[in-house]
Amino acid sequence: MSAASCLLSEDQFLCSICLDVFTDPVTTPCGHNFCKTCITQYWDDNFPYQCPLCKKEFYTRPELHINTLFSQMVAQFRREAQQKASSSSSEQQAAKPGEVPCDVCTGTKLKALKSCLVCLTSYCHTHLEPHLSMKGLKRHQLIDPEENLEGRMCMKHDKPLELFCKTDQTCVCMLCSVVDHKTHEFVPLREEYEGKKAELGKTEAEIQQMIQKRRLKIEEIKESVKMSKDAADREKAEGVQVFTALKESVDRGLNELIKQIEDKQETTKKQAEGFIKDLEQEISELMKRSSEVEQLSRSKDHLHLLQSFSSLKDAPPTKDWTEVSIHPPSYEGTVVRVVVRAVDQLKKILRKDMKKLFEAELKRVQQYAVDVTLDPDTANPQLILSDDGRQVHCGLQLKKLPDNPERFSEHVFVLGNQSFSSGRFYFEVQVKDKTDWSLGVVRESVNRKEDFTVSRENGYWIVGAFENIFVALDDPPVRLSLQSDPEKVGVFVDYEEGLVSFYDVGDAALIYSFTGCSFTEKLHPFFSPDFNIGGKNSAPLIICPVNQSV
């Protein structure tokens, strides 16, 4: 019997109706073999009675009898196939939890290599062989092992899901396309699969870009913390040097200085750690999504990709980090102010050391120098501006100018073209040969048309000379005692710190600092050369380039 079965090809043991190995084979009067159940069902559904292969018609329904000899050959073929499967099963791995098992294996279920969308069955290496070698089974569509094969069939028509309805954005079978979706637009699953796969590639690239941006932001924050720490260390070293000279008499001042600096540094550190933690969490979520997208992108399973696409195409919700940054706290003036308060009675002793501190501090703030020019649209009609926008003095007559909303009408003021709403900036102005002047910064929304009091409360942070008496227009105004009349004044602003400081550039001395300011809108540089009375105070205010080597 074995020799006889070898004379037949494997295809000859397959029923042409079910395309599987014969079960209870019967022979029709025309000599063709079929499963008894298959041919019976075929004739129940079709009339006249025909042979499915040669199409010979029978006027009466033939009586079917099991083909005993051929049935024995089929049984022998089954036994040999099972023996072959049994001998090779030891070389294959049993299906582990989470893996798709072979549906044909009896006893130990081996790991499936492929699933057939026609048979709706998953096969191990041995049981997959007929689909790879037999002519009839080669036409079946094989996919990577899939446990839920029923989900690939149309629940309404029990047909394979082969088309994608672009109108309803869903997978349908051939029958759906002519019944329920007949007016809709369709494409093959593969075509839609390729399109969605390309979108997933784009999504993956976008996610990777987001991850990279966040990694760069982490490095930026770490660098900001390092810069903050360096500045803190530098300030502490200078503070220790000064307070060591004062010994026990100023220990209290030294402790106060160090505490202020360390508190600011700790605040910056905690803020940075919070940002880094949030960024690393987002990176973790993005990498998880990236892995899922990458895994889905590699899938050759059209249906699975399309059904999972919507939930994976977009990156998980993340924070917009574009504008987030660490603003290291400003230490400028910290040492100076604490030392001045603590050792006022020892100024003569400390003059040399204080000079060094001011010079170092001035050099640091000069690093934030910006290019400032005067805005003619804001200038009072009595003011005369140079062509390059860097000098202003007060004329003797009012010019006829448009009374635009930006222009100051009652006071001889002019603003800088530039505005600042974050960070730090510094500029220098020559006030040489002037008895009256004022400089500083103002809010963009200050009153420009009516008479008003110039003060911090009204949005002005300025210092000035009035008949050679120097005053900071704080609340209340503060009269300043300077060692000498400044010829050039530096103005430094730290927006986030709420600090505005003024320096005598020539003597490298601090003139005054506005602290604890709350800035909520744009700031503009402010200039007033004050009135020219008969040639007195006629010298201009001159915006000077900053020489950082001084």
Side-chain angles (χ1 to χ4, degrees):
M1 183 65 68
S2 176
S5 66
C6 290
L7 297 177
L8 299 175
S9 68
E10 292 180 336
D11 281 359
Q12 291 175 293
F13 289 102
L14 299 181
C15 171
S16 60
I17 296 177
C18 66
L19 300 179
D20 205 348
V21 179
F22 286 105
T23 301
D24 296 333
V26 295
T27 305
T28 61
C30 58
H32 293 114
N33 295 306
F34 304 95
C35 296
K36 183 176 182 180
T37 301
C38 291
I39 189 63
T40 300
Q41 182 66 41
Y42 182 81
W43 282 343
D44 286 343
D45 296 338
N46 296 277
F47 185 83
Y49 308 117
Q50 283 185 334
C51 172
L53 287 177
C54 67
K55 305 302 181 182
K56 179 178 177 59
E57 294 187 359
F58 306 104
Y59 295 102
T60 58
R61 183 165 178 162
E63 185 176 353
L64 299 171
H65 299 283
I66 294 178
N67 187 328
T68 305
L69 177 60
F70 188 65
S71 180
Q72 292 174 350
M73 295 173 64
V74 170
Q76 178 65 22
F77 174 79
R78 285 183 181 276
R79 284 194 295 273
E80 291 176 354
Q82 290 175 353
Q83 289 173 359
K84 183 179 179 181
S86 176
S87 63
S88 62
S89 63
S90 60
E91 302 175 2
Q92 301 181 59
Q93 295 182 348
K96 299 177 182 178
E99 295 179 337
V100 178
C102 175
D103 293 325
V104 182
C105 287
T106 58
T108 301
K109 295 284 187 179
L110 300 182
K111 177 183 177 181
L113 295 183
K114 294 289 181 181
S115 295
C116 177
L117 292 180
V118 178
C119 303
L120 295 181
T121 305
S122 297
Y123 299 101
C124 65
H125 176 76
T126 300
H127 294 122
L128 180 64
E129 182 62 28
H131 278 74
L132 302 177
S133 58
M134 294 184 181
K135 182 178 179 181
L137 294 179
K138 283 183 178 180
R139 296 194 298 269
H140 291 194
Q141 184 178 357
L142 299 177
I143 62 171
D144 290 336
E146 175 65 41
E147 192 166 9
N148 182 26
L149 290 171
E150 290 78 7
R152 302 179 170 277
M153 303 295 290
C154 176
M155 297 180 65
K156 185 173 183 180
H157 303 114
D158 198 28
K159 299 290 184 183
L161 298 172
E162 300 178 272
L163 299 174
F164 184 79
C165 175
K166 296 182 75 67
T167 305
D168 290 344
Q169 292 291 298
T170 187
C171 300
V172 297
C173 69
M174 286 290 189
L175 195 54
C176 287
S177 68
V178 297
V179 178
D180 301 322
H181 302 256
K182 58 184 179 180
T183 62
H184 295 181
E185 179 184 358
F186 299 93
V187 294
L189 284 185
R190 175 175 289 278
E191 181 178 332
E192 187 66 18
Y193 163 86
E194 294 297 338
K196 291 296 191 289
K197 189 172 183 179
E199 286 191 44
L200 285 173
K202 183 179 179 181
T203 299
E204 165 67 4
E206 291 173 350
I207 291 175
Q208 289 298 331
Q209 188 177 22
M210 293 173 69
I211 291 174
Q212 184 61 21
K213 284 183 178 179
R214 280 150 181 77
R215 284 175 172 162
L216 291 174
K217 181 60 70 173
I218 288 177
E219 293 304 315
E220 177 187 328
I221 291 173
K222 287 181 177 179
E223 181 62 22
S224 297
V225 174
K226 181 180 180 300
M227 291 174 60
S228 174
K229 186 177 185 302
D230 291 344
D233 291 343
R234 182 173 59 248
E235 290 288 332
K236 285 192 288 185
E238 293 176 354
V240 168
Q241 180 180 357
V242 173
F243 278 95
T244 299
L246 300 176
K247 299 188 182 297
E248 296 180 359
S249 64
V250 290
D251 278 345
R252 188 166 53 252
L254 174 62
N255 292 334
E256 177 186 354
L257 170 70
I258 293 178
K259 184 177 185 304
Q260 287 183 15
I261 296 173
E262 291 183 338
D263 285 351
K264 290 180 181 179
Q265 169 60 18
E266 184 64 20
T267 299
T268 301
K269 180 181 176 182
K270 288 183 178 179
Q271 183 185 24
E273 289 174 348
F275 285 159
I276 291 173
K277 181 178 180 182
D278 292 345
L279 283 162
E280 290 177 340
Q281 178 63 34
E282 288 194 8
I283 288 176
S284 176
E285 293 296 326
L286 288 167
M287 292 183 71
K288 179 180 178 182
R289 178 62 61 87
S290 174
S291 176
E292 294 171 351
V293 170
E294 181 182 4
Q295 184 177 359
L296 184 60
S297 297
R298 292 177 179 174
S299 173
K300 297 181 180 179
D301 182 346
H302 306 170
L303 180 62
H304 176 62
L305 185 144
L306 294 173
Q307 290 178 335
S308 304
F309 177 79
S310 297
S311 62
L312 288 180
K313 69 181 290 291
D314 296 323
T318 56
K319 180 177 179 180
D320 183 1
W321 291 91
T322 305
E323 300 300 326
V324 176
S325 62
I326 291 292
H327 296 283
S330 174
Y331 300 99
E332 283 71 29
T334 304
V335 175
V336 175
R337 291 188 296 275
V338 174
V339 170
V340 168
R341 288 197 302 268
V343 300
D344 187 59
Q345 69 279 22
L346 299 175
K347 284 184 179 179
K348 291 183 180 180
I349 300 175
L350 292 173
R351 186 169 298 168
K352 182 178 179 180
D353 288 336
M354 291 293 290
K355 180 72 172 178
K356 292 180 181 179
L357 287 174
F358 281 125
E359 288 175 348
E361 181 177 329
L362 184 58
K363 286 183 179 180
R364 284 198 293 272
V365 300
Q366 285 177 331
Q367 296 175 7
Y368 301 101
V370 295
D371 186 25
V372 174
T373 55
L374 301 170
D375 182 1
D377 290 336
T378 65
N380 180 278
Q382 199 166 341
L383 294 179
I384 300 174
L385 278 58
S386 63
D387 293 338
D388 64 1
R390 298 184 187 280
Q391 297 187 32
V392 57
H393 67 276
C394 187
L396 300 177
Q397 295 180 345
L398 290 171
K399 299 191 297 294
K400 292 183 179 180
L401 297 174
D403 188 22
N404 51 284
E406 297 84 7
R407 192 179 307 284
F408 287 94
S409 300
E410 297 295 325
H411 296 273
V412 285
F413 296 166
V414 61
L415 302 184
N417 276 302
Q418 295 71 25
S419 63
F420 304 89
S421 57
S422 64
R424 300 164 183 166
F425 62 95
Y426 173 86
F427 59 94
E428 292 180 353
V429 182
Q430 179 179 302
V431 297
K432 183 179 179 181
D433 298 328
K434 294 193 65 64
T435 59
D436 296 82
W437 54 267
S438 53
L439 297 171
V441 292
V442 299
R443 286 198 303 255
E444 189 171 63
S445 63
V446 292
N447 186 348
R448 307 188 188 197
K449 299 301 180 183
E450 302 171 357
D451 193 12
F452 54 87
T453 301
V454 176
S455 66
R456 174 202 284 226
E457 183 180 2
N458 289 329
Y460 289 78
W461 293 270
I462 63 177
V463 298
F466 307 96
E467 294 293 333
N468 287 322
I469 297 175
F470 298 96
V471 177
L473 297 181
D474 208 334
D475 296 324
V478 178
R479 183 166 179 170
L480 306 174
S481 298
L482 306 182
Q483 295 297 322
S484 60
D485 294 353
E487 294 187 354
K488 186 185 295 184
V489 175
V491 182
F492 172 74
V493 177
D494 186 326
Y495 194 97
E496 283 73 24
E497 190 72 13
L499 172 70
V500 182
S501 291
F502 298 82
Y503 297 88
D504 181 338
V505 178
D507 284 346
L510 178 69
I511 296 175
Y512 189 76
S513 288
F514 292 88
T515 59
C517 308
S518 179
F519 303 130
T520 58
E521 57 183 89
K522 292 180 180 179
L523 298 179
H524 285 263
F526 167 89
F527 310 86
S528 175
D530 219 315
F531 289 102
N532 175 359
I533 303 176
K536 183 181 179 181
N537 194 43
S538 61
L541 290 177
I542 303 175
I543 302 172
C544 304
V546 176
N547 183 2
Q548 298 186 23
S549 63
V550 176

